[in-house]
Amino acid sequence: MNDTLILRIISAVLYILLGGLFSGFLAGLDRKLAARMQGRRGPSVFQPFYDIGKLFSKETLALNHGQFVIAFSFLMLIVATGVLFFAGVDILLVFLALSTAAMFLVFAATSSNSAMSTMGAQREMMQMLAYEPMVLITAVGFYMATGIMNNGVGSFKIMDIGSNDLPAIIYLPGIFLGFLFILTIKFRKSPFDISTSHHAHQELVKGVTTDLSGRNLGMIEVAHWYENTFLLGVVGLFFLCNEWWSIPLAVVAVLVVYFLETFIDNISARVKWELMVKLAWGVTIVCGGLNLLVLEYIF
Amino acid sequence: MPPCGHRKVKNMELFIAILILFPFLAAAVQALVKNNSLRKLTVYISSGAIIIATIIFAVMNFGKEQAFLAPDLPLLGFDLIGTVNYGMLAIEFILMAIIIYLSFKYKKYWVALLSVAQTAFISWLELSGRAHAENAYLFCDNLTLILCLMIAVVGGLICVYAVGYLKDYHHHHGDEVKDRRSFFCSMLFVFLGAMFGIVFSANLIWMYFFWEITSVVSFLLIGYTRTEEAVNNSFRALWMNLLGGVGFAAAIGYAAIDLHIFNLQDLVNCNEDVVVIPLICLALAALTKSAQLPFSRWLMGAMVAPTPSSALLHSATMVKAGIYLLIRMAPAMEGNLVGLTVSLIGGFTFFMASVRAIIHTDGKKVLAYSTISNLGLIVACCGVGIDETIWAAIFLMMFHCVSKSLLFQTVGSVEHTSGSRNIEDMHGLIKRYPSLAVAMMIGIAGMYLAPFGMLISKWSALQAFVDAGNIILVLLLAFGSATTLFYWTKWISKLLAYARPTIRRKDTTSLDQWISIGGHTLIMVTLCLVFPFLSDSLVTPIVNSLYGTTTFKPVLSDENLVILVAMIVVIALVIIAGFILTRLVKTKNTTVYMSGIDTGDERHYVGAFDEERTMYHANWYLSDTIGTDRLMNVSTALAAAGLIIGMVLTIGGVL
């Protein structure tokens, strides 16, 4: 029992230390891969770190003191959410904490009282509206899958979900697909990079982050890295079980998923938010809903 | 139920009688007082007395389950219960007379018909001796106590708020609205008394009596301004609630004649198959009172009345009467058609009302849809009827009560101070009226943000739905949560905009209003912090006693409860740290980016044709996509069809 506690603390601490670095590195890899897909050479894989370094060394222009407070809260709460996840607590709790944290990005934008940021914030809220149902259903799926493998005793605890006899993905293929779908929204990848486009010509200036600069923008970027690591952690959770081979399997799955996201980002054009909501909700009902029904009535 | 033979009138029974009767006395005083400062004094004294007496009563009876007052109880040598029953009957006839008079005055004849039908039926039942009950008339357990505290504390504070609010209200509205303040305050207290009556009654006819009083009083409150809109809306509220009353009367009749059951506790514990007939009739009454689809429109119409009455209807009283009845009935609804009908209607209402809340800019309308939506969730919990969902339902009810009351009051005060209750006009409220904005944000956070109360309860509801194997409800909850998130987030975003105010106005919110708003804020924060304690000592015992077990454990583990409380602390610390750090780090001030030349005030810019343009940013209300009335009409029709099918199948299935 104490061993698991130590394990949980270690993994939470590792997340604080390495969570940002890992996703920063993946972001570099992403740009490299994207460049190669487009037949370019691309920047160094460490480019994202240079960018962040520059943001923090620049003079920070702010509209008001509130911006710093909100950006700082966003970063801290995202990290806290990830810590809860890697400490293996209740996954619903983690997801609820995530939506509270995500709210601060919206507030960071609207508190600026700027037209561009506000427009970005509305789009960000549309994205939340689109992905939120699937997030909750994913948690429910984990609970039910654990229940099936555990003589009917379901659990939302990440520790329990990750230590079943078999990986949860076996029971949750539909939910996994649905989760991948909304992951594109969460990663802010095309075709769903509605609120903060990485391609400046597409977005109304720069969406939610238009009026953030220097250190404030840097904190938001770092928060996104931490968020991405945590989300990939959820992807990994689909593949974890109490066998040793599940760990390399999860790592491979995470990398494949990330590659897939980069690939989709490169081959698709951005859609309008109406289509995003319709698609996301459609996929949620079809993949997520059906999967839940099957778990309830067949197993 | 303990036997109640010949015995002396116990202090407890007297205390309950005083709790029920005192608000009516206070109401009579209010009706007579025409002087404003005297009104203020009497409202403070009455509310204070009600709050203090209820707290004392709650502390004295905490953890006890008691049934009181046998019919053969001799008091001073005459038949007390019989006299009370005749008295109630007489008052019911007076209520009927009021309804008949008003419905003829405003030419809504058929509303009178609904009232006559049920009053005639109930009086036949009583006068023919068919409703002669021989067991307890009053009942009190922890659930009753929670309801009492809600009614007394939240309701009492609302009365205090009303004093300050109405003064402003008539100042603003001048001669448009006739000043009937003493009538208004009087009705508020009648409402409190009637609610005490509902929660203390074990006997169904007594409960029905108080139930009818709330219907009529809400009708009178909604029609306060006597404008055409107010009259129409008040009659809509009346006929829907009277329809529920017909259901209630039918339930009483069936239970008394066919089952020889006269009180709610016996009805819930009854094992016969046909018990579902009175249950579905009572459920109909509860659904109308709690404004569930297809009966939601009356609560939307109710917002034409002055804000204190909205606050009262939406939080501590009226809609909670329906919820209270459903919670009591819950153990009997588990796994049958009644429960299925109720839970699906609740889940559907939760989702549809939250979608509907997105399209409105009027703060009170958003609050009203949010009430309907959240009540839907509670109703769904009751319909599922397992112990876990009831735990969630009770918490949802408590948090919703405080949050919603706080929100209505802040919106009312903002309206009076700034001249608008439109959410768009609340842009930058944090700069203009910081205290009101913060109170409002605490209220909103209480409604939907982790780790505040409503969200915790929603979370355990989700878990309980999964355990009950109800996937449809899980899906409705998942989607409804997303839409709920949307409409609250954009509201807070508006408040938080750091806009330099164009006009500086003084915050004119009066002390009376601040006492109530401050009190609510304090209660809200305290409830969140003592959540684990409340769960252990208050709500878990209720669930145990409703289900006759001793082993119930809340779905949320202790670890989670502790993490949640820790989260509140962490969020508070992070924000405080942010404020401290922002003083330490160096930033240069800049102006908003405008894609054009800023004229310097962050409100205008120079456009491409070299002319000055005004900038305005609005929230999204998606009126093109979901703003049509068709959506609401279709969902009302669907819910009505569902309800009718549910009732037909339930009744047809056992006859």
Side-chain angles (χ1 to χ4, degrees):
Chain A
M1 199 59 209
N2 258 337
D3 285 352
T4 37
L5 189 65
I6 291 167
L7 194 70
R8 289 166 73 173
I9 292 171
I10 289 177
S11 90
V13 171
L14 279 181
Y15 172 75
I16 296 177
L17 295 178
L18 303 176
L21 295 179
F22 175 69
S23 272
F25 181 68
L26 276 186
L29 208 61
D30 175 59
R31 291 175 69 170
K32 195 89 186 162
L33 276 172
R36 287 294 151 89
M37 283 178 200
Q38 296 160 2
R40 290 186 287 116
R41 215 181 119 75
S44 143
V45 286
F46 297 108
Q47 189 60 39
F49 297 103
Y50 304 147
D51 293 346
I52 288 289
K54 189 177 170 195
L55 280 179
F56 276 96
S57 63
K58 277 168 75 168
E59 181 182 42
T60 302
L61 293 169
L63 298 168
N64 52 55
H65 284 309
Q67 281 194 314
F68 176 85
V69 178
I70 296 174
F72 178 73
S73 306
F74 177 59
L75 172 62
M76 287 296 136
L77 293 180
I78 287 283
V79 174
T81 305
V83 166
L84 286 176
F85 178 80
F86 284 96
V89 304
D90 193 306
I91 195 163
L92 262 179
L93 176 69
V94 174
F95 283 154
L96 296 177
L98 179 69
S99 16
T100 300
M103 220 79 68
F104 278 82
L105 182 61
V106 174
F107 299 154
T110 52
S111 73
S112 65
N113 186 38
S114 127
M116 309 302 160
S117 297
T118 305
M119 191 56 109
Q122 304 295 325
R123 294 172 170 213
E124 177 70 18
M125 283 191 268
M126 262 355 272
Q127 294 191 175
M128 292 165 77
L129 182 69
Y131 68 67
E132 198 62 25
M134 192 61 225
V135 169
L136 286 181
I137 287 172
T138 304
V140 172
F142 277 130
Y143 179 80
M144 292 175 77
T146 311
I148 290 167
M149 288 183 273
N150 213 353
N151 303 323
V153 189
S155 174
F156 280 108
K157 278 190 90 173
I158 294 160
M159 282 303 289
D160 300 339
I161 297 167
S163 54
N164 289 313
D165 292 337
L166 287 169
I169 179 92
I170 294 181
Y171 295 96
L172 305 174
I175 287 179
F176 184 69
L177 277 181
F179 191 75
L180 281 191
F181 192 90
I182 59 138
L183 209 54
T184 317
I185 305 177
K186 277 287 320 168
F187 278 163
R188 301 163 197 290
K189 295 280 191 196
S190 187
F192 304 127
D193 48 345
I194 310 263
S195 75
T196 48
S197 176
H198 287 290
H199 310 285
H201 60 278
Q202 287 186 339
E203 177 52 52
L204 289 159
V205 194
K206 198 71 177 75
V208 265
T209 50
T210 304
D211 289 274
L212 294 165
S213 72
R215 189 190 312 110
N216 292 348
L217 184 58
M219 287 194 292
I220 300 278
E221 287 298 323
V222 173
H224 281 157
W225 287 358
Y226 273 100
E227 190 183 13
N228 289 353
T229 307
F230 151 66
L231 290 168
L232 289 173
V234 179
V235 171
L237 189 60
F238 275 96
F239 295 89
L240 278 184
C241 67
N242 58 9
E243 303 286 344
W244 66 267
W245 48 258
S246 70
I247 294 172
L249 181 68
V251 173
V252 171
V254 163
L255 293 176
V256 169
V257 164
Y258 200 81
F259 177 77
L260 196 68
E261 292 294 342
T262 308
F263 182 66
I264 294 172
D265 188 36
N266 269 282
I267 57 162
S268 57
R270 190 159 80 149
V271 299
K272 286 168 83 174
W273 66 262
E274 288 95 336
L275 186 61
M276 171 186 70
V277 175
K278 277 179 199 155
L279 283 177
W281 280 29
V283 169
T284 304
I285 290 182
V286 174
C287 295
L290 274 183
N291 201 155
L292 288 187
L293 285 173
V294 167
L295 289 185
E296 178 65 31
Y297 293 107
I298 296 186
F299 289 102
Chain B
M1 208 141 295
C4 328
H6 286 274
R7 60 198 168 95
K8 286 190 173 174
V9 178
K10 285 205 300 189
N11 293 336
M12 254 20 274
E13 294 161 19
L14 202 62
F15 207 149
I16 292 178
I18 290 171
L19 276 183
I20 297 175
L21 292 177
F22 181 77
F24 288 103
L25 182 73
V29 171
Q30 289 309 316
L32 296 174
V33 171
K34 302 291 175 198
N35 175 301
N36 285 337
S37 43
L38 195 58
R39 173 176 311 118
K40 188 168 171 171
L41 183 71
T42 47
V43 166
Y44 269 84
I45 293 176
S46 316
S47 301
I50 293 173
I51 294 174
I52 292 169
T54 310
I55 291 175
I56 294 175
F57 181 81
V59 171
M60 280 166 64
N61 291 283
F62 183 70
K64 296 179 198 157
E65 184 174 319
Q66 293 154 311
F68 300 112
L69 223 57
D72 53 350
L73 182 83
L75 180 76
L76 308 172
F78 76 104
D79 176 14
L80 176 70
I81 294 289
T83 319
V84 172
N85 280 340
Y86 282 120
M88 285 184 175
L89 205 56
I91 294 173
E92 269 170 51
F93 272 100
I94 295 172
L95 291 180
M96 184 180 80
I98 294 174
I99 294 174
I100 293 175
Y101 168 71
L102 287 173
S103 48
F104 274 76
K105 184 175 169 191
Y106 293 102
K107 302 196 171 55
K108 314 256 184 190
Y109 309 110
W110 55 284
V111 176
L113 215 61
L114 279 174
S115 173
V116 171
Q118 53 189 294
T119 312
F121 179 70
I122 289 290
S123 38
W124 168 74
L125 211 59
E126 281 209 54
L127 296 174
S128 66
R130 284 181 173 81
H132 182 70
E134 292 187 348
N135 47 13
Y137 276 72
L138 294 175
F139 187 77
C140 175
D141 64 0
N142 272 2
L143 181 59
T144 318
L145 293 182
I146 287 189
L147 260 297
C148 283
L149 286 173
M150 275 166 47
I151 297 162
V153 178
V154 175
L157 286 175
I158 291 173
C159 291
V160 168
Y161 177 89
V163 177
Y165 183 89
L166 286 176
K167 197 174 155 204
D168 278 357
Y169 185 84
H170 286 289
H171 177 70
H172 282 288
H173 288 77
D175 297 332
E176 294 163 41
V177 177
K178 193 174 163 224
D179 189 343
R180 294 193 291 156
R181 263 182 266 182
S182 47
F183 168 76
F184 190 86
C185 287
S186 160
M187 285 302 119
L188 293 184
F189 281 105
V190 170
F191 225 124
L192 297 188
M195 282 302 294
F196 277 124
I198 290 178
V199 297
F200 278 121
S201 297
N203 182 289
L204 283 169
I205 291 188
W206 282 23
M207 200 180 212
Y208 166 82
F209 167 73
F210 292 112
W211 189 272
E212 289 302 283
I213 293 183
T214 60
S215 298
V216 174
V217 172
S218 63
F219 160 69
L220 294 173
L221 280 175
I222 296 167
Y224 179 73
T225 57
R226 287 179 175 158
T227 57
E228 197 188 335
E229 189 194 9
V231 169
N232 284 334
N233 290 353
S234 65
F235 272 99
R236 188 186 303 126
L238 185 64
W239 82 253
M240 285 187 175
N241 280 300
L242 286 179
L243 187 70
V246 171
F248 208 125
I252 294 174
Y254 192 90
I257 297 169
D258 274 32
L259 298 168
H260 301 286
I261 285 176
F262 308 98
N263 76 29
L264 187 59
Q265 278 71 29
D266 291 345
L267 191 68
V268 173
N269 294 326
C270 174
N271 288 322
E272 297 199 39
D273 289 341
V274 287
V275 77
V276 293
I277 295 178
L279 284 180
I280 193 98
C281 292
L282 282 181
L284 172 72
L287 291 177
T288 53
K289 200 100 311 183
S290 297
Q292 294 301 288
L293 284 171
F295 308 110
S296 303
R297 284 184 65 208
W298 80 259
L299 195 62
M300 294 311 300
M303 35 164 267
V304 297
T307 298
S309 72
S310 309
L312 200 63
L313 290 177
H314 284 260
S315 62
T317 64
M318 196 69 179
V319 294
K320 294 293 187 295
I323 296 297
Y324 168 76
L325 182 59
L326 286 175
I327 292 179
R328 284 262 181 246
M329 283 161 56
M333 293 198 286
E334 184 194 344
N336 59 25
L337 263 174
V338 184
L340 189 68
T341 312
V342 169
S343 63
L344 286 181
I345 284 191
F348 185 64
T349 307
F350 170 64
F351 177 60
M352 288 318 298
S354 67
V355 168
R356 198 66 184 166
I358 292 174
I359 65 168
H360 289 289
T361 54
D362 181 337
K364 268 175 110 178
K365 272 197 178 150
V366 175
L367 292 184
Y369 273 115
S370 127
T371 300
I372 297 172
S373 167
N374 282 302
L375 291 176
L377 186 59
I378 307 178
V379 167
C381 284
C382 296
V384 171
I386 61 172
D387 44 10
E388 294 176 350
T389 54
I390 295 308
W391 184 88
I394 294 171
F395 269 114
L396 280 168
M397 179 178 74
M398 286 161 61
F399 282 112
H400 178 261
C401 170
V402 180
S403 257
K404 198 42 75 63
S405 173
L406 174 60
L407 279 172
F408 264 107
Q409 293 174 39
T410 46
V411 169
S413 297
V414 167
E415 184 183 3
H416 275 179
T417 302
S418 74
S420 168
R421 64 175 190 230
N422 191 316
I423 296 174
E424 286 295 307
D425 296 334
M426 294 181 194
H427 189 88
L429 207 68
I430 189 85
K431 276 295 204 191
R432 286 184 289 157
Y433 309 110
S435 325
L436 279 174
V438 168
M440 195 183 267
M441 282 197 287
I442 289 178
I444 297 179
M447 293 299 296
Y448 88 111
L449 276 183
F452 293 95
M454 285 293 278
L455 195 98
I456 307 176
S457 323
K458 213 178 260 181
W459 166 19
S460 56
L462 179 66
Q463 196 159 336
F465 289 162
V466 185
D467 285 339
N470 200 328
I471 300 299
I472 304 288
L473 283 185
V474 170
L475 292 177
L476 285 170
L477 183 58
F479 282 93
S481 297
T483 41
T484 305
L485 196 74
F486 187 75
Y487 69 79
W488 288 127
T489 310
K490 65 180 184 170
W491 187 336
I492 297 200
S493 317
K494 265 287 163 209
L495 302 179
L496 272 179
Y498 267 60
R500 273 182 244 155
T502 35
I503 337 156
R504 281 210 180 269
R505 278 205 227 177
K506 224 179 121 229
D507 190 340
T508 56
T509 311
S510 64
L511 181 66
D512 311 315
Q513 297 177 38
W514 273 120
I515 289 177
S516 179
I517 293 176
H520 276 84
T521 313
L522 198 68
I523 297 172
M524 187 73 229
V525 176
T526 318
L527 279 183
C528 291
L529 287 175
V530 300
F531 188 85
F533 169 75
L534 281 180
S535 166
D536 278 353
S537 62
L538 204 59
V539 179
T540 305
I542 295 178
V543 176
N544 274 329
S545 93
L546 283 176
Y547 286 86
T549 58
T550 51
T551 51
F552 171 73
K553 273 192 119 46
V555 278
L556 302 188
S557 63
D558 291 345
E559 181 191 86
N560 285 338
L561 293 181
V562 172
I563 293 177
L564 282 166
V565 175
M567 259 172 83
I568 300 185
V569 179
V570 168
I571 291 181
L573 285 181
V574 163
I575 293 176
I576 292 167
F579 272 109
I580 295 170
L581 283 174
T582 188
R583 305 261 176 267
L584 301 179
V585 295
K586 228 177 78 190
T587 42
K588 191 175 153 192
N589 276 339
T590 180
T591 48
V592 164
Y593 176 76
M594 289 220 191
S595 295
I597 304 162
D598 183 0
T599 58
D601 62 353
E602 300 193 346
R603 286 169 193 283
H604 300 87
Y605 64 97
V606 179
F609 292 98
D610 210 25
E611 81 284 44
E612 194 172 301
R613 290 180 169 275
T614 312
M615 185 182 71
Y616 180 79
H617 26 255
N619 271 348
W620 285 8
Y621 294 92
L622 316 187
S623 40
D624 303 338
T625 344
I626 52 173
T628 51
D629 281 338
R630 221 183 74 205
L631 185 74
M632 207 54 195
N633 293 340
V634 168
S635 42
T636 307
L638 273 178
L643 184 60
I644 292 170
I645 293 172
M647 290 186 79
V648 168
L649 287 182
T650 307
I651 296 171
V654 290
L655 283 180

